Amino acid sequence: MNEPALYVVATPIGNLGDMVPRAVETLQTVALIAAEDTRHSAKLLEHFHIKTPLVAYHDHSDSHRTAQLIARLQAGESVALISDAGTPLVSDPGYQLVAAARAAGVRVVPVPGACAVIAALSASGLASDRFSFEGFLPAKQVARSKRLAELAGDTQTLIFYEAPHRILATLEDLVAAFGPERQVVVARELTKTFETFLSGSACEVRDRVAGDSNQQRGEIVLLVAGAPKVQTVALDERAQQVMTLLAAELPPKKASALAEQITGVKKKQLYQWYVETRP
Protein backbone atom coordinates (compact mmCIF):
# COMPACT_ATOMS: atom_id res chain seq x y z
CA MET A 1 0.00 0.00 0.00
CA ASN A 2 1.31 3.45 -0.91
CA GLU A 3 2.02 5.99 1.81
CA PRO A 4 -0.48 8.89 1.85
CA ALA A 5 0.69 11.28 -0.87
CA LEU A 6 -0.12 12.76 -4.25
CA TYR A 7 1.65 10.59 -6.82
CA VAL A 8 2.42 12.29 -10.17
CA VAL A 9 2.54 9.29 -12.50
CA ALA A 10 3.86 9.28 -16.06
CA THR A 11 2.05 7.03 -18.55
CA PRO A 12 3.07 5.85 -22.06
CA ILE A 13 2.96 8.31 -24.96
CA GLY A 14 2.14 5.54 -27.43
CA ASN A 15 3.84 2.22 -26.78
CA LEU A 16 2.27 0.51 -23.76
CA GLY A 17 5.56 -1.32 -23.20
CA ASP A 18 6.95 1.95 -21.86
CA MET A 19 4.76 1.76 -18.74
CA VAL A 20 7.21 1.33 -15.87
CA PRO A 21 6.46 -1.32 -13.21
CA ARG A 22 6.45 1.27 -10.41
CA ALA A 23 3.71 3.22 -12.22
CA VAL A 24 1.54 0.09 -12.50
CA GLU A 25 2.05 -0.74 -8.83
CA THR A 26 1.27 2.84 -7.78
CA LEU A 27 -1.95 3.00 -9.79
CA GLN A 28 -3.02 -0.39 -8.43
CA THR A 29 -2.58 0.61 -4.79
CA VAL A 30 -3.67 4.27 -4.47
CA ALA A 31 -7.18 5.02 -3.28
CA LEU A 32 -8.06 7.18 -6.28
CA ILE A 33 -6.73 8.15 -9.71
CA ALA A 34 -7.28 11.71 -10.98
CA ALA A 35 -7.21 11.46 -14.79
CA GLU A 36 -7.28 14.06 -17.56
CA ASP A 37 -9.84 12.01 -19.50
CA THR A 38 -11.39 9.09 -17.62
CA ARG A 39 -12.61 7.39 -20.81
CA HIS A 40 -9.13 7.50 -22.34
CA SER A 41 -7.41 6.35 -19.15
CA ALA A 42 -9.91 3.54 -18.60
CA LYS A 43 -8.38 1.71 -21.59
CA LEU A 44 -4.90 2.01 -20.08
CA LEU A 45 -6.09 0.75 -16.70
CA GLU A 46 -7.92 -2.17 -18.29
CA HIS A 47 -4.78 -3.20 -20.14
CA PHE A 48 -2.79 -3.35 -16.89
CA HIS A 49 -5.65 -4.84 -14.83
CA ILE A 50 -5.91 -1.76 -12.62
CA LYS A 51 -9.29 -1.46 -10.90
CA THR A 52 -8.70 1.74 -8.87
CA PRO A 53 -11.57 4.28 -9.06
CA LEU A 54 -11.15 7.15 -11.53
CA VAL A 55 -12.17 10.80 -11.23
CA ALA A 56 -11.75 13.51 -13.86
CA TYR A 57 -9.17 16.24 -13.32
CA HIS A 58 -8.42 18.44 -16.33
CA ASP A 59 -7.85 22.03 -17.51
CA HIS A 60 -11.47 22.95 -16.84
CA SER A 61 -11.67 21.46 -13.36
CA ASP A 62 -12.68 24.12 -10.85
CA SER A 63 -11.27 24.91 -7.41
CA HIS A 64 -14.02 22.76 -5.86
CA ARG A 65 -12.61 19.59 -7.49
CA THR A 66 -9.10 20.56 -6.37
CA ALA A 67 -10.38 21.09 -2.81
CA GLN A 68 -12.10 17.69 -2.85
CA LEU A 69 -8.88 15.93 -3.80
CA ILE A 70 -6.84 17.86 -1.22
CA ALA A 71 -9.37 16.93 1.47
CA ARG A 72 -8.98 13.25 0.65
CA LEU A 73 -5.21 13.57 0.74
CA GLN A 74 -5.34 15.34 4.09
CA ALA A 75 -7.59 12.56 5.38
CA GLY A 76 -4.76 10.11 4.77
CA GLU A 77 -5.68 8.71 1.36
CA SER A 78 -3.23 8.36 -1.51
CA VAL A 79 -4.13 9.85 -4.92
CA ALA A 80 -2.43 9.41 -8.29
CA LEU A 81 -2.47 12.10 -10.95
CA ILE A 82 -2.20 11.03 -14.60
CA SER A 83 -2.67 12.74 -17.96
CA ASP A 84 -3.76 11.22 -21.25
CA ALA A 85 -0.14 10.43 -22.12
CA GLY A 86 3.31 11.22 -20.82
CA THR A 87 4.28 13.15 -17.71
CA PRO A 88 1.53 15.23 -16.08
CA LEU A 89 2.03 19.02 -15.98
CA VAL A 90 4.23 19.01 -19.13
CA SER A 91 1.68 20.82 -21.31
CA ASP A 92 -0.94 18.78 -19.43
CA PRO A 93 -3.21 19.52 -16.45
CA GLY A 94 -2.05 19.21 -12.87
CA TYR A 95 -0.16 22.33 -11.84
CA GLN A 96 -2.97 23.70 -9.66
CA LEU A 97 -3.41 20.39 -7.85
CA VAL A 98 0.31 19.92 -7.18
CA ALA A 99 0.66 23.53 -5.99
CA ALA A 100 -2.37 23.16 -3.71
CA ALA A 101 -1.05 19.87 -2.31
CA ARG A 102 2.31 21.39 -1.45
CA ALA A 103 0.64 24.44 0.09
CA ALA A 104 -1.46 22.11 2.25
CA GLY A 105 1.62 20.23 3.43
CA VAL A 106 0.78 17.10 1.44
CA ARG A 107 3.69 15.00 0.20
CA VAL A 108 4.04 14.98 -3.60
CA VAL A 109 5.88 12.02 -5.16
CA PRO A 110 6.97 11.83 -8.82
CA VAL A 111 6.79 8.47 -10.57
CA PRO A 112 8.91 9.12 -13.69
CA GLY A 113 8.36 7.61 -17.10
CA ALA A 114 7.63 8.64 -20.66
CA CYS A 115 7.86 12.30 -21.69
CA ALA A 116 7.58 13.34 -25.34
CA VAL A 117 9.85 16.38 -24.85
CA ILE A 118 12.76 14.34 -23.52
CA ALA A 119 12.19 11.43 -25.90
CA ALA A 120 12.32 13.77 -28.90
CA LEU A 121 15.38 15.65 -27.63
CA SER A 122 17.30 12.46 -26.87
CA ALA A 123 17.04 11.24 -30.48
CA SER A 124 17.10 14.60 -32.31
CA GLY A 125 20.83 15.07 -32.70
CA LEU A 126 20.51 18.66 -31.45
CA ALA A 127 22.42 20.03 -28.47
CA SER A 128 20.91 18.82 -25.21
CA ASP A 129 23.12 20.55 -22.64
CA ARG A 130 20.75 23.56 -22.59
CA PHE A 131 17.19 23.54 -23.87
CA SER A 132 13.89 25.33 -23.36
CA PHE A 133 10.47 23.71 -23.63
CA GLU A 134 8.08 26.35 -24.98
CA GLY A 135 4.88 24.29 -25.15
CA PHE A 136 2.42 25.20 -27.89
CA LEU A 137 3.00 28.34 -29.95
CA PRO A 138 0.04 30.73 -30.39
CA ALA A 139 -2.54 29.43 -32.85
CA LYS A 140 -2.94 32.74 -34.70
CA GLN A 141 -0.28 33.64 -37.24
CA VAL A 142 0.49 37.18 -36.05
CA ALA A 143 0.97 36.15 -32.44
CA ARG A 144 2.96 33.06 -33.48
CA SER A 145 5.32 35.11 -35.64
CA LYS A 146 5.84 37.60 -32.84
CA ARG A 147 6.71 34.85 -30.36
CA LEU A 148 9.14 33.22 -32.78
CA ALA A 149 10.83 36.57 -33.39
CA GLU A 150 11.31 36.92 -29.62
CA LEU A 151 12.97 33.49 -29.49
CA ALA A 152 15.14 33.81 -32.61
CA GLY A 153 18.24 34.91 -30.69
CA ASP A 154 18.14 32.22 -28.02
CA THR A 155 21.23 30.01 -28.13
CA GLN A 156 19.67 26.96 -26.45
CA THR A 157 17.72 24.25 -28.25
CA LEU A 158 14.03 25.18 -28.40
CA ILE A 159 11.29 22.55 -28.15
CA PHE A 160 7.61 23.02 -29.04
CA TYR A 161 4.49 20.92 -29.30
CA GLU A 162 2.47 21.61 -32.43
CA ALA A 163 -0.88 20.51 -33.79
CA PRO A 164 -0.73 18.61 -37.08
CA HIS A 165 -3.03 21.04 -38.89
CA ARG A 166 -0.67 23.94 -37.98
CA ILE A 167 2.75 22.35 -38.48
CA LEU A 168 3.24 23.60 -42.04
CA ALA A 169 2.21 27.18 -41.18
CA THR A 170 4.47 27.12 -38.14
CA LEU A 171 7.42 25.95 -40.24
CA GLU A 172 6.73 28.78 -42.69
CA ASP A 173 6.80 31.29 -39.83
CA LEU A 174 9.91 29.65 -38.40
CA VAL A 175 11.78 30.05 -41.70
CA ALA A 176 10.83 33.75 -41.71
CA ALA A 177 11.85 34.34 -38.08
CA PHE A 178 14.93 32.10 -37.74
CA GLY A 179 16.17 32.04 -41.32
CA PRO A 180 16.13 29.18 -43.84
CA GLU A 181 19.36 27.55 -42.60
CA ARG A 182 18.51 27.04 -38.90
CA GLN A 183 18.56 23.32 -38.09
CA VAL A 184 15.13 21.86 -37.33
CA VAL A 185 13.80 18.44 -36.32
CA VAL A 186 10.16 17.34 -36.58
CA ALA A 187 9.57 14.31 -34.35
CA ARG A 188 6.19 12.74 -35.10
CA GLU A 189 4.19 9.92 -33.50
CA LEU A 190 6.90 9.05 -30.99
CA THR A 191 6.98 5.38 -29.86
CA LYS A 192 4.12 4.56 -32.24
CA THR A 193 4.03 2.54 -35.45
CA PHE A 194 4.64 5.50 -37.75
CA GLU A 195 7.30 7.25 -35.66
CA THR A 196 9.22 9.67 -37.90
CA PHE A 197 12.12 12.09 -37.45
CA LEU A 198 12.63 14.71 -40.17
CA SER A 199 15.80 16.77 -39.79
CA GLY A 200 17.60 19.39 -41.84
CA SER A 201 17.51 23.10 -42.42
CA ALA A 202 14.25 24.90 -41.66
CA CYS A 203 13.68 25.35 -45.38
CA GLU A 204 14.37 21.68 -46.17
CA VAL A 205 12.10 20.38 -43.43
CA ARG A 206 9.32 22.77 -44.41
CA ASP A 207 9.48 21.57 -48.01
CA ARG A 208 9.44 17.89 -46.98
CA VAL A 209 6.40 18.43 -44.77
CA ALA A 210 4.67 20.42 -47.52
CA GLY A 211 5.28 17.59 -50.00
CA ASP A 212 4.06 14.74 -47.78
CA SER A 213 0.62 15.02 -46.19
CA ASN A 214 1.47 12.09 -43.88
CA GLN A 215 3.91 14.40 -42.09
CA GLN A 216 0.98 16.67 -41.24
CA ARG A 217 -0.73 14.03 -39.10
CA GLY A 218 -0.39 12.73 -35.57
CA GLU A 219 1.30 14.17 -32.49
CA ILE A 220 4.28 16.38 -33.23
CA VAL A 221 7.29 17.66 -31.32
CA LEU A 222 9.17 20.44 -33.10
CA LEU A 223 12.81 21.06 -32.13
CA VAL A 224 14.94 23.98 -33.27
CA ALA A 225 18.70 24.42 -32.89
CA GLY A 226 19.77 27.42 -30.85
CA ALA A 227 21.08 30.53 -32.53
CA PRO A 228 24.85 30.59 -33.13
CA LYS A 229 26.64 32.24 -30.24
CA VAL A 230 27.91 35.68 -31.08
CA GLN A 231 31.60 36.08 -30.34
CA THR A 232 31.81 38.30 -27.30
CA VAL A 233 33.10 41.77 -28.11
CA ALA A 234 34.64 43.76 -25.31
CA LEU A 235 32.49 46.79 -24.51
CA ASP A 236 33.92 50.03 -23.29
CA GLU A 237 33.06 51.07 -19.75
CA ARG A 238 30.41 53.58 -20.82
CA ALA A 239 28.53 51.02 -22.96
CA GLN A 240 28.60 48.55 -20.07
CA GLN A 241 27.21 51.14 -17.65
CA VAL A 242 24.43 52.20 -20.05
CA MET A 243 23.39 48.61 -20.77
CA THR A 244 23.47 47.64 -17.09
CA LEU A 245 21.33 50.63 -16.06
CA LEU A 246 18.76 50.10 -18.83
CA ALA A 247 18.55 46.32 -18.26
CA ALA A 248 17.72 46.97 -14.61
CA GLU A 249 14.48 48.68 -15.73
CA LEU A 250 13.66 47.07 -19.10
CA PRO A 251 13.66 43.60 -20.69
CA PRO A 252 17.16 42.88 -22.05
CA LYS A 253 16.16 43.07 -25.72
CA LYS A 254 14.47 46.45 -25.28
CA ALA A 255 17.38 47.66 -23.19
CA SER A 256 19.91 46.65 -25.86
CA ALA A 257 17.91 48.41 -28.60
CA LEU A 258 17.83 51.64 -26.59
CA ALA A 259 21.48 51.30 -25.56
CA GLU A 260 22.43 51.02 -29.24
CA GLN A 261 20.90 54.44 -29.88
CA ILE A 262 22.81 55.93 -26.95
CA THR A 263 26.21 54.30 -27.43
CA GLY A 264 26.38 53.40 -31.10
CA VAL A 265 27.29 49.80 -30.21
CA LYS A 266 25.28 47.14 -32.07
CA LYS A 267 22.30 45.93 -30.03
CA LYS A 268 23.23 42.28 -30.72
CA GLN A 269 26.63 42.82 -29.09
CA LEU A 270 25.07 44.65 -26.16
CA TYR A 271 22.51 41.91 -25.63
CA GLN A 272 25.10 39.14 -25.88
CA TRP A 273 27.42 40.92 -23.44
CA TYR A 274 24.57 41.26 -20.96
CA VAL A 275 23.48 37.62 -21.26
CA GLU A 276 27.02 36.31 -20.83
CA THR A 277 28.02 38.57 -17.93
CA ARG A 278 24.88 38.74 -15.77
CA PRO A 279 25.03 36.77 -12.51
Side-chain angles (χ1 to χ4, degrees):
M1 180 67 70
N2 285 298
E3 296 180 17
L6 173 62
Y7 293 85
V8 183
V9 181
T11 56
I13 57 176
N15 191 322
L16 292 176
D18 293 335
M19 186 75 164
V20 300
R22 184 181 171 208
V24 175
E25 181 183 2
T26 299
L27 296 180
Q28 287 173 335
T29 55
V30 292
L32 183 70
I33 298 172
E36 181 180 0
D37 184 331
T38 55
R39 292 169 299 179
H40 179 92
S41 295
K43 299 175 184 177
L44 175 74
L45 302 191
E46 182 180 3
H47 179 83
F48 288 102
H49 309 291
I50 297 167
K51 302 185 182 303
T52 306
L54 277 171
V55 64
Y57 191 86
H58 46 70
D59 281 334
H60 304 293
S61 295
D62 57 20
S63 57
H64 180 64
R65 174 52 56 85
T66 300
Q68 287 178 324
L69 292 172
I70 296 299
R72 296 188 67 163
L73 287 161
Q74 289 179 316
E77 292 188 298
S78 55
V79 176
L81 173 68
I82 62 174
S83 62
D84 285 350
T87 302
L89 280 74
V90 183
S91 264
D92 282 331
Y95 161 72
Q96 296 292 346
L97 180 59
V98 171
R102 288 206 168 275
V106 173
R107 185 177 174 221
V108 180
V109 179
V111 181
C115 177
V117 174
I118 302 303
L121 178 64
S122 69
S124 69
L126 300 181
S128 58
D129 55 336
R130 291 181 64 243
F131 63 92
S132 175
F133 174 56
E134 299 292 328
F136 282 93
L137 286 162
K140 295 190 179 296
Q141 195 273 333
V142 172
R144 184 170 60 242
S145 293
K146 179 181 178 182
R147 182 60 183 144
L148 286 171
E150 292 171 350
L151 294 169
D154 281 9
T155 57
Q156 59 195 338
T157 298
L158 300 172
I159 308 175
F160 308 91
Y161 285 161
E162 191 51 280
H165 64 278
R166 286 198 300 265
I167 184 59
L168 184 55
T170 293
L171 288 169
E172 292 279 5
D173 293 338
L174 196 148
V175 169
F178 288 60
E181 297 306 315
R182 185 73 69 91
Q183 290 298 295
V184 168
V185 176
V186 171
R188 190 178 67 86
E189 292 291 85
L190 292 174
T191 79
K192 300 175 184 176
T193 302
F194 297 105
E195 177 181 278
T196 306
F197 281 82
L198 297 179
S199 60
S201 70
C203 189
E204 290 170 341
V205 172
R206 176 203 61 192
D207 291 347
R208 290 172 70 183
V209 170
D212 184 355
S213 61
N214 287 325
Q215 302 307 320
Q216 300 172 45
R217 299 175 181 172
E219 296 179 336
I220 294 170
V221 183
L222 173 63
L223 305 96
V224 185
K229 292 184 178 179
V230 177
Q231 186 174 2
T232 303
V233 177
L235 300 182
D236 61 45
E237 188 175 349
R238 177 172 177 269
Q240 292 181 29
Q241 290 175 340
V242 169
M243 183 61 193
T244 300
L245 288 170
L246 290 173
E249 303 294 333
L250 298 168
K253 289 186 178 179
K254 289 186 178 180
S256 60
L258 184 54
E260 179 184 49
Q261 298 177 33
I262 298 171
T263 65
V265 179
K266 294 293 185 182
K267 62 183 179 182
K268 200 169 187 179
Q269 296 175 5
L270 289 158
Y271 177 82
Q272 192 67 27
W273 173 84
Y274 176 77
V275 169
E276 292 184 356
T277 59
R278 66 181 177 178

Coordinates of all heavy atoms in Angstrom, one line a residue, residues 99-149:
A99 N 0.4 22.3 -6.8 CA 0.7 23.5 -6.0 C -0.2 23.5 -4.7 O 0.3 23.9 -3.6 CB 0.4 24.8 -6.8
A100 N -1.5 23.2 -4.9 CA -2.4 23.2 -3.7 C -1.9 22.1 -2.7 O -2.0 22.3 -1.5 CB -3.8 22.9 -4.2
A101 N -1.5 20.9 -3.2 CA -1.0 19.9 -2.3 C 0.2 20.3 -1.5 O 0.2 20.1 -0.3 CB -0.7 18.6 -3.1
R102 N 1.1 20.9 -2.2 CA 2.3 21.4 -1.4 C 1.9 22.5 -0.4 O 2.5 22.5 0.7 CB 3.4 21.9 -2.4 CG 4.0 20.8 -3.2 CD 5.4 21.2 -3.7 NE 6.1 20.0 -4.2 CZ 6.8 19.2 -3.4 NH1 6.8 19.3 -2.1 NH2 7.5 18.1 -3.9
A103 N 1.1 23.4 -0.8 CA 0.6 24.4 0.1 C -0.1 23.9 1.3 O 0.0 24.5 2.4 CB -0.3 25.4 -0.6
A104 N -0.7 22.7 1.1 CA -1.5 22.1 2.3 C -0.6 21.2 3.1 O -1.0 20.5 4.0 CB -2.7 21.3 1.7
G105 N 0.7 21.1 2.7 CA 1.6 20.2 3.4 C 1.5 18.8 3.1 O 2.0 17.9 3.8
V106 N 0.9 18.5 1.9 CA 0.8 17.1 1.4 C 2.0 16.7 0.7 O 2.6 17.5 -0.1 CB -0.5 16.9 0.5 CG1 -0.5 15.6 -0.1 CG2 -1.7 17.2 1.3
R107 N 2.5 15.5 0.9 CA 3.7 15.0 0.2 C 3.3 14.8 -1.3 O 2.3 14.2 -1.6 CB 4.1 13.7 0.9 CG 5.4 13.1 0.3 CD 5.8 11.9 1.1 NE 7.0 11.2 0.5 CZ 7.1 9.9 0.3 NH1 6.1 9.1 0.8 NH2 8.2 9.4 -0.2
V108 N 4.2 15.2 -2.2 CA 4.0 15.0 -3.6 C 5.2 14.1 -4.1 O 6.4 14.5 -3.9 CB 4.0 16.3 -4.4 CG1 3.8 16.0 -5.9 CG2 2.9 17.2 -3.9
V109 N 4.9 13.0 -4.8 CA 5.9 12.0 -5.2 C 5.8 11.8 -6.7 O 4.8 11.4 -7.2 CB 5.6 10.7 -4.5 CG1 6.7 9.6 -4.9 CG2 5.6 10.8 -3.0
P110 N 6.9 12.1 -7.4 CA 7.0 11.8 -8.8 C 7.2 10.4 -9.1 O 8.1 9.7 -8.4 CB 8.1 12.7 -9.3 CG 9.1 12.8 -8.1 CD 8.2 12.7 -6.9
V111 N 6.5 9.8 -10.1 CA 6.8 8.5 -10.6 C 7.2 8.6 -12.0 O 6.3 8.7 -12.9 CB 5.6 7.5 -10.4 CG1 5.9 6.1 -10.9 CG2 5.1 7.5 -8.9
P112 N 8.5 8.7 -12.3 CA 8.9 9.1 -13.7 C 8.6 8.1 -14.7 O 8.4 6.9 -14.4 CB 10.4 9.3 -13.5 CG 10.7 9.4 -12.1 CD 9.6 8.6 -11.4
G113 N 8.6 8.5 -16.0 CA 8.4 7.6 -17.1 C 8.4 8.4 -18.4 O 9.3 9.3 -18.5
A114 N 7.6 8.0 -19.3 CA 7.6 8.6 -20.7 C 7.4 10.1 -20.6 O 6.5 10.6 -19.9 CB 6.6 8.0 -21.6
C115 N 8.1 10.9 -21.5 CA 7.9 12.3 -21.7 C 8.3 12.6 -23.1 O 9.4 12.4 -23.5 CB 8.7 13.1 -20.7 SG 8.6 14.9 -20.9
A116 N 7.3 13.1 -23.9 CA 7.6 13.3 -25.3 C 8.7 14.3 -25.6 O 9.5 14.2 -26.5 CB 6.3 13.8 -26.0
V117 N 8.8 15.4 -24.7 CA 9.8 16.4 -24.8 C 11.2 15.7 -24.8 O 12.1 15.9 -25.7 CB 9.7 17.4 -23.7 CG1 10.9 18.4 -23.8 CG2 8.4 18.2 -23.9
I118 N 11.4 14.9 -23.7 CA 12.8 14.3 -23.5 C 13.0 13.2 -24.5 O 14.2 13.1 -25.0 CB 12.9 13.8 -22.1 CG1 12.6 14.9 -21.1 CG2 14.2 13.1 -21.9 CD1 13.6 16.1 -21.2
A119 N 12.0 12.5 -24.9 CA 12.2 11.4 -25.9 C 12.6 12.0 -27.2 O 13.5 11.5 -27.9 CB 10.9 10.6 -26.1
A120 N 12.0 13.1 -27.6 CA 12.3 13.8 -28.9 C 13.7 14.4 -28.8 O 14.5 14.2 -29.8 CB 11.3 14.9 -29.2
L121 N 14.1 15.0 -27.8 CA 15.4 15.7 -27.6 C 16.5 14.6 -27.7 O 17.5 14.8 -28.3 CB 15.4 16.5 -26.3 CG 16.8 17.2 -26.0 CD1 17.1 18.2 -27.1 CD2 16.7 17.8 -24.6
S122 N 16.3 13.5 -27.0 CA 17.3 12.5 -26.9 C 17.7 11.9 -28.2 O 18.8 11.4 -28.4 CB 16.8 11.4 -25.9 OG 15.8 10.6 -26.5
A123 N 16.8 11.9 -29.2 CA 17.0 11.2 -30.5 C 17.2 12.3 -31.6 O 17.3 11.9 -32.8 CB 15.9 10.2 -30.8
S124 N 17.1 13.6 -31.3 CA 17.1 14.6 -32.3 C 18.4 14.9 -32.9 O 18.5 15.4 -34.1 CB 16.5 15.9 -31.7 OG 17.5 16.5 -30.8
G125 N 19.5 14.7 -32.2 CA 20.8 15.1 -32.7 C 21.2 16.5 -32.4 O 22.2 17.0 -32.8
L126 N 20.2 17.3 -31.8 CA 20.5 18.7 -31.5 C 21.1 18.7 -30.1 O 21.0 17.8 -29.3 CB 19.2 19.5 -31.5 CG 18.5 19.5 -32.8 CD1 17.2 20.4 -32.7 CD2 19.4 20.1 -33.9
A127 N 21.8 19.8 -29.8 CA 22.4 20.0 -28.5 C 21.4 19.9 -27.3 O 20.3 20.4 -27.4 CB 23.1 21.4 -28.4
S128 N 21.8 19.1 -26.3 CA 20.9 18.8 -25.2 C 21.4 19.3 -23.9 O 20.8 19.1 -22.8 CB 20.7 17.3 -25.1 OG 21.9 16.6 -24.9
D129 N 22.6 20.0 -23.9 CA 23.1 20.6 -22.6 C 22.3 21.7 -22.1 O 22.2 21.9 -20.9 CB 24.6 21.0 -22.8 CG 24.8 22.0 -23.9 OD1 23.9 22.0 -24.9 OD2 25.8 22.7 -23.9
R130 N 21.7 22.5 -23.0 CA 20.8 23.6 -22.6 C 19.6 23.6 -23.5 O 19.7 23.6 -24.8 CB 21.4 24.9 -22.6 CG 22.5 25.2 -21.6 CD 23.1 26.6 -21.7 NE 22.1 27.6 -21.4 CZ 21.7 28.5 -22.3 NH1 22.2 28.5 -23.5 NH2 20.8 29.4 -22.0
F131 N 18.4 23.5 -23.0 CA 17.2 23.5 -23.9 C 16.0 24.2 -23.1 O 16.0 24.3 -21.9 CB 16.8 22.1 -24.3 CG 16.4 21.2 -23.2 CD1 15.1 21.1 -22.8 CD2 17.4 20.4 -22.6 CE1 14.7 20.2 -21.8 CE2 17.0 19.5 -21.5 CZ 15.7 19.4 -21.2
S132 N 15.1 24.7 -23.9 CA 13.9 25.3 -23.4 C 12.6 24.7 -24.0 O 12.5 24.7 -25.2 CB 13.9 26.8 -23.6 OG 12.7 27.5 -23.2
F133 N 11.7 24.2 -23.1 CA 10.5 23.7 -23.6 C 9.5 24.9 -23.6 O 9.1 25.4 -22.6 CB 10.0 22.6 -22.7 CG 8.6 22.1 -23.1 CD1 8.3 21.7 -24.4 CD2 7.6 22.1 -22.2 CE1 7.0 21.2 -24.8 CE2 6.3 21.6 -22.5 CZ 6.0 21.2 -23.8
E134 N 9.0 25.2 -24.8 CA 8.1 26.4 -25.0 C 6.6 26.0 -25.1 O 5.8 26.9 -25.3 CB 8.5 27.2 -26.2 CG 9.9 27.7 -26.1 CD 10.1 28.8 -25.1 OE1 9.1 29.5 -24.8 OE2 11.1 28.9 -24.4
G135 N 6.3 24.7 -25.0 CA 4.9 24.3 -25.1 C 4.3 24.6 -26.5 O 5.1 24.5 -27.5
F136 N 3.1 24.9 -26.6 CA 2.4 25.2 -27.9 C 2.6 26.7 -28.2 O 2.4 27.5 -27.4 CB 0.9 24.9 -27.8 CG 0.6 23.4 -28.0 CD1 0.4 22.6 -26.8 CD2 0.4 22.8 -29.2 CE1 0.1 21.3 -26.9 CE2 0.1 21.5 -29.3 CZ 0.0 20.7 -28.2
L137 N 3.0 27.0 -29.5 CA 3.0 28.3 -29.9 C 1.6 28.9 -30.1 O 0.6 28.1 -30.2 CB 3.7 28.4 -31.3 CG 5.3 28.3 -31.2 CD1 5.8 27.9 -32.6 CD2 5.9 29.5 -30.7
P138 N 1.4 30.2 -30.2 CA 0.0 30.7 -30.4 C -0.6 30.2 -31.7 O 0.1 30.0 -32.7 CB 0.3 32.2 -30.5 CG 1.5 32.5 -29.7 CD 2.4 31.3 -29.9
A139 N -1.9 30.0 -31.7 CA -2.5 29.4 -32.9 C -2.6 30.4 -34.0 O -2.6 30.1 -35.2 CB -3.9 28.9 -32.5
K140 N -2.8 31.7 -33.7 CA -2.9 32.7 -34.7 C -1.6 33.2 -35.2 O -0.6 33.3 -34.5 CB -3.7 33.9 -34.1 CG -5.2 33.5 -33.8 CD -6.0 34.8 -33.5 CE -7.4 34.4 -33.1 NZ -8.1 33.8 -34.2
Q141 N -1.5 33.4 -36.6 CA -0.3 33.6 -37.2 C 0.5 34.9 -36.7 O 1.7 34.8 -36.5 CB -0.5 33.8 -38.7 CG 0.7 33.7 -39.6 CD 1.4 35.0 -39.8 OE1 0.8 36.0 -39.7 NE2 2.7 34.9 -40.0
V142 N -0.2 36.0 -36.5 CA 0.5 37.2 -36.1 C 1.2 37.0 -34.7 O 2.3 37.3 -34.5 CB -0.5 38.4 -36.0 CG1 0.2 39.6 -35.4 CG2 -1.0 38.7 -37.4
A143 N 0.4 36.4 -33.8 CA 1.0 36.1 -32.4 C 2.1 35.1 -32.5 O 3.1 35.2 -31.8 CB -0.1 35.7 -31.5
R144 N 1.9 34.1 -33.3 CA 3.0 33.1 -33.5 C 4.3 33.7 -34.0 O 5.3 33.4 -33.5 CB 2.4 31.9 -34.4 CG 3.4 30.8 -34.5 CD 2.8 29.6 -35.2 NE 2.3 29.9 -36.5 CZ 1.0 29.8 -36.9 NH1 0.1 29.5 -36.1 NH2 0.7 30.1 -38.2
S145 N 4.1 34.5 -35.1 CA 5.3 35.1 -35.6 C 6.0 36.0 -34.6 O 7.3 36.0 -34.6 CB 4.9 35.9 -36.9 OG 4.5 35.1 -37.9
K146 N 5.3 36.7 -33.9 CA 5.8 37.6 -32.8 C 6.6 36.8 -31.8 O 7.7 37.2 -31.4 CB 4.7 38.4 -32.2 CG 5.3 39.3 -31.1 CD 4.1 40.1 -30.4 CE 4.7 41.0 -29.3 NZ 3.6 41.7 -28.6
R147 N 6.0 35.7 -31.4 CA 6.7 34.8 -30.4 C 8.0 34.2 -30.9 O 9.0 34.2 -30.3 CB 5.8 33.7 -29.9 CG 6.4 32.9 -28.8 CD 6.8 33.6 -27.6 NE 7.4 32.8 -26.6 CZ 8.4 33.2 -25.8 NH1 8.8 34.5 -25.9 NH2 8.9 32.4 -24.9
L148 N 7.9 33.8 -32.2 CA 9.1 33.2 -32.8 C 10.2 34.3 -32.9 O 11.4 34.0 -32.7 CB 8.8 32.6 -34.1 CG 8.0 31.3 -34.1 CD1 7.5 30.9 -35.5 CD2 8.9 30.2 -33.5
A149 N 9.8 35.5 -33.3 CA 10.8 36.6 -33.4 C 11.5 36.8 -32.1 O 12.7 37.1 -32.0 CB 10.1 37.8 -33.9

